[in-house]
Amino acid sequence: MSSTASGQNGTWRNWGGNVSARPARQVAPASVEELAAAVRRAREDGLKVKAVGTGHSFTSIAATDGLLIRPQLLTGIRNIDRQAMTVTVEAGTPLKRLNAALAREGLSLTNMGDIMEQTVSGATSTGTHGTGRDSASIAAQIKGLELVTADGSVLTCSENGTEDERAVFAAARTGLGALGIVTAITFAVEPLFLLTAREEPMPFDRVLAEFDELWAENEHFEFYWFPHTGNTNTKRNNRSAGPEQPMGKFAGWFEDEFLSNGVFQVAQWVGRAAPAAVPAIARVSSKALSARTYTDIPYKVFTSPRRVRFVEMEYAVPRAALVETLRELKAMVDRSGLRVSFPVEVRTAPADDITLSTASGRDSAYIAVHMYRGTPYQAYFTAAERIFTAHEGRPHWGKVHTRDAEYFARVYPRFGEFTTLRDRLDPERLFQNDYLRRVLGA
């Protein structure tokens, strides 16, 4: 499934359909040298430069009216170092291709998000994450980076480099496309392992009452709450000695394709046409998924197909504030008259040391609100955002939000460190666009 769409006149659109751009020029370089030359040429011609992945961001983080760099030829594994347990991949490699290639080599990432359509550079640059008690975002698994900077030179950095390289490494792992164009990423990997997933419905109040234990007892805990109901579906993923017990083909198809994509799609169509029906649909949807347990290799447990298109806002709040934040969100939905047909997704991450990671310096919980593509989402997202920001929430860089540099300077202790580095690496703002002007300041 290609997640980008190009219309006539070279219009670029994102996966969610809420962002489009008309770049003056588009290139798909086949090598780092070609990419560097394209950056130098754009600079000489006075064009801004942005790289785009598969368009899975709901913000305009990749939009430009200048030069748009498409990464589809910069894909594949460059190198596997079994002694250091690292793999170096080209920046345009889709996560699903990386996951499958690693599995063939008997290797795996430690943790991953729940979809794998994105490119490795797009996912890490926006801080994409899964859920984990001890293991953090995809960017937190990076050991080294290669990027083309504003002067067209190639810069490499790692946690073991010079002081200067370490400063770049701390920021560029989640660099928002503001420091340069990432061309290759070195990830830490480990021998392929098995995960047992246990999915089961649970009342909303019970999940909140027992959240601390559920989090502490499981390596990866997450749940979905269905607005207009008191129901959730929980998922616990833990390492397993085996044996492999994948989901049966029919059960997998029935739950993941028929219910989660097919029936869910129809429910969204009905909800969009007749919003008054949404609470009744939610009550049925929340009871449709049954308890199930299966054991498989990581990417087959962590990820699932997402064919129903949506628009999303997600905030990271301090983990200690999660229960209170969710209670406020539920109370808001209950009294608002809003009709919310998409479940709310809740995940966690431990604190990390990446300058602008949403989990930078604090244990975090993520609350993601969604609306079906084409339904009005502003009222719901605005009300949710008011709750999230009251808890010093940090929005996902690739998902809808209205925050600006002034707000980020307040909720990110190392925000100034990032903007100082950007002043040094991109003083003329070659990689600037409207989104970066808003979130980082001019």
Side-chain angles (χ1 to χ4, degrees):
M1 176 179 83
S2 167
S3 302
T4 47
S6 280
Q8 292 169 321
N9 308 325
T11 299
W12 171 85
R13 282 186 187 80
N14 70 335
W15 182 85
N18 66 317
V19 177
S20 62
R22 290 186 63 176
R25 224 160 48 210
Q26 298 192 41
V27 296
S31 67
V32 176
E33 293 72 31
E34 271 183 38
L35 192 152
V39 167
R40 287 192 293 269
R41 196 156 56 246
R43 189 180 173 193
E44 286 159 15
D45 296 344
L47 294 177
K48 300 292 187 191
V49 179
K50 295 310 298 176
V52 69
T54 50
H56 251 276
S57 287
F58 302 97
T59 59
S60 54
I61 190 166
T64 186
D65 57 4
L67 171 67
L68 190 73
I69 295 176
R70 290 178 173 274
Q72 59 259 39
L73 301 179
L74 291 172
T75 64
I77 292 179
R78 267 193 203 178
N79 178 51
I80 295 175
D81 184 336
R82 288 184 187 273
Q83 208 169 353
M85 288 305 281
T86 61
V87 58
T88 301
V89 286
E90 305 280 347
T93 309
L95 284 165
K96 63 179 172 190
R97 279 183 55 194
L98 173 63
N99 287 336
L102 287 176
R104 284 195 299 271
E105 297 285 345
L107 301 168
S108 177
L109 294 171
T110 297
N111 198 358
M112 54 194 80
D114 57 5
I115 52 174
M116 51 178 181
E117 303 300 329
Q118 315 99 312
T119 61
V120 292
S121 57
T124 55
S125 294
T126 55
T128 295
H129 60 91
T131 190
R133 182 189 59 205
D134 313 303
S135 53
S137 70
I138 305 175
Q141 298 168 69
I142 295 177
K143 292 294 181 190
L145 280 173
E146 176 186 272
L147 58 161
V148 172
T149 56
D151 61 3
S153 62
V154 180
L155 185 154
T156 56
C157 59
S158 73
E159 57 184 358
N160 304 318
T162 63
E163 190 180 344
D164 198 33
E165 286 167 0
R166 288 199 304 274
V168 175
F169 181 72
R173 281 174 287 168
T174 298
L176 318 185
L179 306 175
I181 308 289
V182 175
T183 48
I185 300 176
T186 299
F187 289 105
V189 291
E190 56 176 301
L192 195 61
F193 54 94
L194 291 174
L195 282 173
T196 292
R198 183 172 151 208
E199 299 176 14
E200 67 173 317
M202 196 179 283
F204 179 81
D205 289 334
R206 185 184 152 197
V207 174
L208 295 200
E210 297 176 15
F211 176 76
D212 287 339
E213 293 95 283
L214 288 163
W215 170 82
E217 288 165 8
N218 295 284
E219 290 173 70
H220 309 273
F221 176 70
E222 64 187 298
F223 66 95
Y224 296 85
W225 163 57
F226 295 82
H228 312 296
T229 78
N231 306 325
T232 77
N233 201 45
T234 63
K235 184 174 181 182
R236 303 166 223 208
N237 297 332
N238 290 289
R239 294 199 182 212
S240 165
E244 255 180 76
Q245 288 178 311
M247 232 179 309
K249 274 212 163 49
F250 176 75
W253 172 84
F254 184 75
E255 294 265 349
D256 293 334
E257 287 298 340
F258 181 68
L259 289 179
S260 300
N261 285 300
V263 171
F264 190 55
Q265 175 77 70
V266 174
Q268 297 304 314
W269 287 333
V270 173
R272 184 165 72 180
V278 165
I281 293 169
R283 286 191 290 275
V284 174
S285 298
S286 68
K287 293 191 165 83
L289 297 170
S290 52
R292 61 178 181 174
T293 302
Y294 52 96
T295 301
D296 214 327
I297 60 174
Y299 82 86
K300 293 184 178 178
V301 173
F302 282 131
T303 70
S304 50
R306 289 275 190 281
R307 303 197 207 292
V308 181
R309 305 247 171 164
F310 52 82
V311 178
E312 180 178 0
M313 167 183 280
E314 181 184 66
Y315 266 75
V317 297
R319 201 183 71 234
L322 172 71
V323 169
E324 189 188 342
T325 308
L326 274 175
R327 287 198 197 286
E328 289 169 16
L329 186 68
K330 185 174 189 300
M332 179 276 289
V333 170
D334 288 347
R335 66 167 184 264
S336 67
L338 290 166
R339 294 292 175 255
V340 181
S341 58
F342 243 88
V344 172
E345 183 180 21
V346 181
R347 295 175 289 173
T348 67
D352 64 41
D353 63 350
I354 304 170
T355 318
L356 291 188
S357 159
T358 44
S360 184
R362 76 181 189 195
D363 292 341
S364 299
Y366 295 93
I367 305 172
V369 297
H370 313 69
M371 282 295 255
Y372 179 49
R373 185 166 87 169
T375 48
Y377 60 82
Q378 283 82 356
Y380 177 37
F381 284 13
T382 299
E385 190 171 42
R386 201 171 293 134
I387 293 167
F388 300 150
T389 54
H391 292 281
E392 297 205 324
R394 298 167 177 171
H396 187 302
W397 297 107
K399 296 175 186 177
V400 175
H401 68 89
T402 65
R403 301 297 89 192
D404 60 15
E406 191 185 343
Y407 179 83
F408 291 123
R410 203 163 71 241
V411 297
Y412 281 100
R414 298 168 65 189
F415 186 75
E417 215 178 287
F418 190 96
T419 54
T420 300
L421 180 67
R422 180 185 180 222
D423 288 341
R424 185 160 67 79
L425 290 180
D426 187 15
E428 294 166 22
R429 301 291 186 261
L430 182 72
F431 303 117
Q432 175 89 286
N433 63 2
D434 291 343
Y435 179 79
L436 291 184
R437 193 176 290 111
R438 169 162 71 92
V439 302
L440 296 177

